[in-house]
Amino acid sequence: ELRAAASVLLERLQFMRQAGITFGGKRDLYEILGYERVLTPIEYRDRYARGGIAGRIVDCFPNATWRGEMELVEDEDPKKDTEFEKAWKEFAKQHKALAVLRKADLLSQLSTYSVILIGAPGDLESELPKGKPGGVLYLSPFIGGGGPGNNSTVASKQTSTAYVDATIVEFDSDTQSPRFGQPTFYQLKRSNISSVDLTTHKVHWTRIIHIADG
């Protein structure tokens, strides 16, 4: 998912650098009209916040996807709920799973990805403990974007990662690992809370659900 998101981002950047060039390179419409070639999360969020067609486009697919009820099926018998199905229903109700999934889906449209933090006992930097569904304390969505190896053009802009709440801080670099190239640690914060020391946390990948287009 992460590699697919990075590929899409690079394709967008290459397209935007060429867009607006007409008359064999003699005229740059983007420069004339004042358009940004590299859009960062803050530009997407600003356009969304202003509403209009941008807000409608971003809301459309998440609203349609998560409208109504969602059913998890383990046994095809409609008159019988398995223990797993019962546990899911209780879990979804307790943690408002549909609302969280919709929010995370929406946030992924405003950046390159979003994440859901699985709140559970133990240190956030440690592996998610295995246990019963009751061990999950909360589900919390964060807007994501950025990480090691950011494009220098994007990273140099003050809007690159300052307005996202989840960034990747470490990848699995072991070529023999089945997770080679995938995130091992994220950093989470709340950009609307001023006390960074109290709100920035390093989080193990097992406690994260990573959501990206494609």
Side-chain angles (χ1 to χ4, degrees):
E1 290 179 348
L2 181 63
R3 284 192 288 270
S7 176
V8 170
L9 179 60
L10 287 174
E11 288 176 4
R12 287 180 182 174
L13 290 173
Q14 291 169 357
F15 171 76
M16 293 307 290
R17 289 197 180 98
Q18 296 300 318
I21 305 297
T22 60
F23 295 100
K26 296 178 181 178
R27 180 177 296 171
D28 186 341
L29 296 179
Y30 274 53
E31 184 175 353
I32 294 170
L33 298 172
Y35 293 165
E36 290 279 358
R37 276 203 158 77
V38 179
L39 296 179
T40 56
I42 189 59
E43 276 105 17
Y44 279 101
R45 292 174 77 170
D46 283 348
R47 283 162 175 73
Y48 176 76
R50 287 198 294 268
I53 191 169
R56 172 60 181 154
I57 289 172
V58 172
D59 286 340
C60 182
F61 285 109
N63 285 346
T65 300
W66 305 106
R67 181 182 291 119
E69 297 295 326
M70 183 176 75
E71 186 179 11
L72 185 149
V73 177
E74 183 182 36
D75 189 309
E76 295 294 339
D77 185 353
K79 298 180 180 180
K80 175 186 175 184
D81 276 348
T82 66
E83 290 302 313
F84 183 66
E85 290 170 343
K86 290 177 182 177
W88 164 252
K89 288 180 179 178
E90 293 174 4
F91 178 87
K93 182 178 180 180
Q94 178 183 355
H95 297 293
K96 299 179 174 61
L98 285 179
V100 172
L101 289 167
R102 177 195 167 279
K103 180 68 173 180
D105 196 357
L106 188 154
L107 291 176
S108 74
Q109 308 300 307
L110 299 176
S111 186
T112 49
Y113 63 88
S114 68
V115 304
I116 297 174
L117 171 63
I118 303 172
D123 190 278
L124 290 178
E125 293 188 40
S126 64
E127 186 175 349
L128 182 71
K130 295 178 175 62
K132 296 180 180 180
V136 175
L137 306 174
Y138 57 85
L139 298 173
S140 186
F142 291 77
I143 185 170
N150 262 2
N151 176 278
S152 58
T153 305
V154 179
S156 66
K157 299 180 72 172
Q158 63 175 355
T159 53
S160 59
T161 58
Y163 294 91
V164 298
D165 293 337
T167 53
I168 298 166
V169 293
E170 190 177 312
F171 290 96
D172 189 338
S173 58
D174 181 2
T175 56
Q176 303 304 308
S177 169
R179 299 195 71 257
F180 172 66
Q182 296 185 37
T184 53
F185 285 98
Y186 293 77
Q187 181 169 287
L188 301 185
K189 64 181 177 64
R190 287 299 186 192
S191 56
N192 60 344
I193 300 177
S194 60
S195 181
V196 176
D197 290 339
L198 295 177
T199 59
T200 301
H201 300 281
K202 190 176 180 182
V203 184
H204 193 268
W205 70 270
T206 55
R207 296 175 178 265
I208 293 290
I209 299 173
H210 188 114
I211 300 170
D213 245 1

